[in-house]
Amino acid sequence: MFQRILIANRGEIALRIIRACRELGIETVAVFSEADRGAHYLSLADEAYCIGPAAASDSYLLINRIISAAEVGRAQAIHPGFGFLSENAKFAQICRECGFEFIGPPVSAMNALGDKASSRIAAMKAGVPTVPGSADLLKDENEAIQIAKQIGYPVLIKATAGGGGKGMRVANNEQELRDGVKQASQEAEKAFKNAGVFLEKYVLNPRHVEVQLIGDQHGNMFHLGNVNARRNANTRS
């Protein structure tokens, strides 16, 4: 078990990890942007380091600053939480190359499933039914328009990276689609440093279904036995 880990996240996510580590007797190193300076959860960590200005693109998304904080904080491993760099295969690889264990999937799995577009491609190759849409990331607005003509409006523009609904727009016609592709790409670039977006048929009144799985380093995979299904206003998976 690790004696000391760095948490590459903020807020409630970081707080949950800190609490779990304290129960296990593991020391924690927190990082924070200027926007989070003085936040209560930082006082619960054993150490905390400022890694940049308020914007996530200048702090929580800067890999070199996360690694530097881990080195100064003498961490053995880095926990990304979720969001930010948690689905970034490059980050996971750099962590391990720098001598820090990345608490998360192996790089090969992240490359296959680390973003929505590649996950969609993997699902289609495996014969899993998917919502009609683009086969890969959109090259430009014109490609989006051609696909929308094939699958019909309304359509959903989705950022391939991150989550939380950022980089998502619903388009009901061609003009909304042109505007939406630009807006979604810009928002995704700002939030995740990845402007890639793809297109899907917008599903009205869907059910969001989550199946919880957990795996270990020995090749074991466990189904936790619960399926969480709820109605969503849109598809945010």
Side-chain angles (χ1 to χ4, degrees):
M1 184 180 291
F2 303 117
Q3 280 83 48
R4 192 177 182 88
I5 71 169
L6 178 136
I7 303 165
N9 218 298
R10 64 178 297 276
E12 182 184 1
I13 301 167
L15 177 60
R16 290 180 180 182
I17 299 170
I18 290 171
R19 285 175 171 171
C21 287
R22 292 184 73 173
E23 290 181 7
L24 295 169
I26 300 172
E27 296 180 352
T28 55
V29 179
V31 294
F32 62 94
S33 72
E34 288 293 350
D36 293 321
R37 184 181 291 276
H40 173 65
Y41 71 91
L42 297 173
S43 66
L44 300 178
D46 293 280
E47 292 185 33
Y49 296 98
C50 182
I51 55 172
S57 58
D58 296 325
S59 53
Y60 296 107
L61 293 173
L62 289 181
I63 294 175
N64 61 327
R65 296 193 181 182
I66 300 292
I67 296 297
S68 294
E71 291 173 342
V72 174
R74 308 177 310 284
Q76 297 168 302
I78 296 177
H79 196 314
F82 58 87
F84 289 144
L85 294 169
S86 63
E87 298 177 5
N88 189 312
K90 179 182 177 182
F91 177 54
Q93 182 174 347
I94 290 175
C95 286
R96 288 161 176 153
E97 288 175 350
C98 291
F100 303 105
E101 184 55 53
F102 176 81
I103 300 177
V107 173
S108 58
M110 294 182 73
N111 282 328
L113 301 172
D115 65 71
K116 298 181 187 69
S118 60
S119 299
R120 177 180 169 83
I121 293 170
M124 288 189 289
K125 288 181 178 179
V128 177
T130 58
V131 178
S134 55
D136 206 337
L137 296 179
L138 294 173
K139 298 182 180 68
D140 52 37
E141 299 164 28
N142 292 328
E143 182 186 21
I145 291 169
Q146 291 302 314
I147 295 171
K149 287 180 179 178
Q150 295 172 9
I151 64 177
Y153 291 96
V155 294
L156 182 66
I157 307 148
K158 299 177 72 172
T160 187
K166 292 185 182 295
M168 295 178 65
R169 295 289 187 281
V170 177
N172 295 288
N173 53 57
E174 183 174 318
Q175 187 57 54
E176 288 184 8
L177 181 55
R178 286 187 183 276
D179 295 340
V181 169
K182 292 178 182 177
Q183 293 168 0
S185 294
Q186 291 171 355
E187 185 176 42
E189 174 65 28
K190 183 177 180 180
F192 314 121
K193 283 197 170 181
N194 185 338
V197 296
F198 63 101
L199 201 69
E200 285 186 344
K201 176 71 176 177
Y202 181 64
V203 180
L204 299 172
N205 299 318
R207 280 192 176 276
H208 180 109
V209 180
E210 297 178 4
V211 179
Q212 305 298 325
L213 302 172
I214 186 170
D216 63 20
Q217 292 182 324
H218 305 289
N220 298 307
M221 185 67 70
F222 303 93
H223 184 289
L224 300 185
N226 63 312
V227 176
N228 179 22
R230 62 181 186 276
R231 292 192 180 278
N232 276 2
N234 53 41
T235 52
R236 293 183 178 239
S237 298

